[in-house]
Structure formats: C-alpha cells, structure tokens
Amino acid sequence: MNNSREIKAVFLDRDGTICGDDTVHYPGKFKLFPFTQELISNLKKDGIKVFSFTNQPGISAGKAATHDYVEELTAFGFDDIFICPHHPSKGCFCRKPNTGMLQTAAEKHKLSLENCVVIGDRWSDMLAASTAGCVKILVKTGAGHAALNEHFDKINDIELEYIAENLEDAVDWLYQEYKIT
C-alpha cells in the first residue's frame, strides 16, 4: 500500500455504491444513501475532485437517456460524469472493466490515475481501477458480496487497498489512510 500518494480525485460507481442494490435504477427512481451527498460535498470541500463513472447499457437499449443520468448525477454534486452507454457485446473502450472512462477523465482533468481512487461494488470497477493504477476500494453494498464470493476469480489477483461496508466506511478509511484534510 502506498499511502504517500496525494489523492486528487475519487471515482464513484453509481448503482450499488452511492445507493441501491445490485440492479440498475433509472434516473427518477434512484435515491442516494442518506450520507452520500454529504460525503461528496466533504471530499470536494477538501480539494478532491469527485467523478461518477458508470456502465449504463440501458441507454443503448432505449430505456433511459444520457442527459437524464447527467442531470441526476450533476444534481448529486459530482464534478464530472463519465458514462458508458454501450451494450456489453459492443466491446467498447469505455465499458468497465476497460479503463476508457478513467483515462478520459485523467486527460480532461490533467490527473495522474495513480493519485485517484475508485470506489465501487463490482469486480469490473476493481479490475478497471487496478489496470489504471488507481487505489481500489470495494464496497459490500450492491453487488459487493457477489464480487467477493461469486466473482472472486475475477479479482483474486488484484490487491484491494480496502474492503468497506459501504461508501461512508470507504470514505472514512480514505481520510484516515491518506491523511486528507
């Protein structure tokens, strides 16, 4: 673990991480965990950029529109939103576990991904973070238990920095481990 890193940005997965369970909840039906908005605000107040990065194949299936996600996530306080709208069969560069969204954000915001944290509930979040060189925090909410049990073979070679009970626990650990003030 390299806690001498200076954390510049946190990438938060949407479904299962900032609220919800292991299913997709479309904009308008998505309610944050009670502590999520305050955590986003605190990170930003402490000089950390907070980005949403999310796979949303329902967009390409016509079940939702990109602008609805962007509007919702912007209202939650995110500094920027990165969405993969593609179906998994498309083999795009942006869909997690690929690193396209992370790389696009790094270029756009002039960040080194080594100084970024990914907090998510799925194996694909952790694999993308690992490939990009980010700090990796898996939350047990959403699909987190499945990532640790049913999909462990996909992440067993990844050294996770922390496994958190939920987003609040993840951010608390981040503040303690990396001395964010």
Side-chain angles (χ1 to χ4, degrees), residues 68-120:
D68 292 331
Y69 284 98
V70 170
E71 186 176 290
E72 171 194 74
L73 293 164
T74 300
F76 294 159
F78 286 97
D79 289 303
D80 207 343
I81 292 98
F82 299 91
I83 300 171
C84 172
H86 307 110
H87 187 274
S89 66
K90 295 297 179 192
C92 64
F93 177 66
C94 55
R95 184 174 180 78
K96 297 179 278 182
N98 295 322
T99 60
M101 289 185 278
L102 296 171
Q103 290 178 354
T104 299
E107 290 169 17
K108 181 176 179 181
H109 294 277
K110 301 188 180 357
L111 297 166
S112 168
L113 288 171
E114 291 178 355
N115 294 327
C116 297
V117 177
V118 168
I119 302 174

Side-chain angles (χ1 to χ4, degrees), residues 1-18:
M1 188 175 324
N2 181 5
N3 54 5
S4 64
R5 296 183 197 196
E6 185 178 349
I7 303 303
K8 298 289 187 180
V10 173
F11 290 86
L12 297 176
D13 173 58
R14 181 182 179 270
D15 300 288
T17 301
I18 62 173

